[in-house]
Amino acid sequence: LLLPRNVYNVVVLGAGGVGKTALVTRFVKKEFTERHVPTVEDLYEKPLHLRKGVSAFLQVLDTAGTYHFPAMRKVTLQFGDAFILVYSVNDSDSLNEALKLQQEIYAAKGRDDVPMVLVGNKCDLASGTDKHLESHALASSLSRGKNCILAETSAKFDVNVTGVFTALMAQVALANSPR
Ligand code: GDP
């Protein structure tokens, strides 16, 4: 199977209910629905315009976060060229879960320069509250992986959703550039 070189596998991970599916469907289909039926994994394809004359083709894997078999999870982590770790800005447990997943990715890949965006979703719910500021401070202090950046989004109101994917591709370019 021959794939053009600008195809990237993006894996979206995070605790249940943080808005993974909402982010992916907002990005891929420009839609938001209040409810969805959770599935184990869904794969979406979407071209992303990066700059004049340059596009990337993304295969986005929306995961349900729970796996009955650890081996399956490992395969999922191996599949990813780049990762979106989602937490909800009003739920500090979900941030801890995202940070655990970050370590799991580094372990599965055997390196710590994996392109990644740590995304605080649902920023429409908690903007400016103490909880929000706390989670942001914690996320900033802990997301020290190389090539891992922070972003905040609202899948509901389409805030910064495409920006996350564009920023992720910039991290991929950075990881692939000679240092
Ligand atoms: P997943 O389990 O991580 O895939 O989460 P879902 O995408 O199913 O979202 C869980 C719930 O959060 C749903 O009721 C969504 O409508 C809601 N939700 C997702 N993103 C946002 C957001 O940005 N803002 C708000 N207010 N709700 C959201």
Side-chain angles (χ1 to χ4, degrees):
L1 178 68
L2 276 177
L3 291 174
R5 291 205 48 180
N6 63 343
V7 175
Y8 300 100
N9 296 331
V10 175
V11 177
V12 182
L13 293 164
V18 295
K20 296 181 294 299
T21 299
L23 277 171
V24 172
T25 50
R26 174 59 88 188
F27 173 61
V28 174
K29 303 184 193 160
K30 294 277 155 221
E31 281 171 6
F32 180 80
T33 44
E34 291 290 339
R35 272 173 194 288
H36 88 278
V37 182
T39 52
V40 176
E41 288 182 340
D42 283 311
L43 187 64
Y44 299 87
E45 300 184 331
K46 164 103 173 164
L48 178 66
H49 176 78
L50 295 178
R51 54 184 189 278
K52 201 163 189 276
V54 183
S55 297
F57 191 80
L58 306 190
Q59 301 201 101
V60 183
L61 186 68
D62 176 17
T63 67
T66 51
Y67 294 95
H68 295 293
F69 306 103
M72 200 172 149
R73 187 164 175 119
K74 218 169 163 189
V75 169
T76 298
L77 299 186
Q78 289 302 342
F79 171 82
D81 299 311
F83 295 83
I84 295 178
L85 290 177
V86 188
Y87 69 97
S88 169
V89 297
N90 64 356
D91 175 3
S92 53
D93 287 347
S94 73
L95 177 56
N96 289 326
E97 176 72 25
L99 296 167
K100 248 193 268 168
L101 286 163
Q102 185 186 45
Q103 295 309 315
E104 218 175 291
I105 294 164
Y106 293 155
K109 292 281 186 192
R111 55 196 179 89
D112 67 353
D113 60 352
V114 185
M116 203 181 278
V117 183
L118 180 61
V119 175
N121 187 41
K122 306 196 189 184
C123 69
D124 57 285
L125 287 184
S127 202
T129 63
D130 285 353
K131 228 176 181 173
H132 180 210
L133 297 175
E134 228 171 78
S135 78
H136 186 78
L138 186 63
S140 327
S141 71
L142 294 177
S143 71
R144 286 281 161 77
K146 284 176 213 150
N147 300 329
C148 175
I149 53 168
L150 275 183
E152 288 196 356
T153 57
S154 168
K156 185 167 185 170
F157 295 104
D158 202 3
V159 177
N160 207 19
V161 176
T162 303
V164 163
F165 289 86
T166 312
L168 187 62
M169 287 303 103
Q171 294 305 102
V172 169
L174 205 63
N176 291 336
S177 66
R179 355 195 131 203

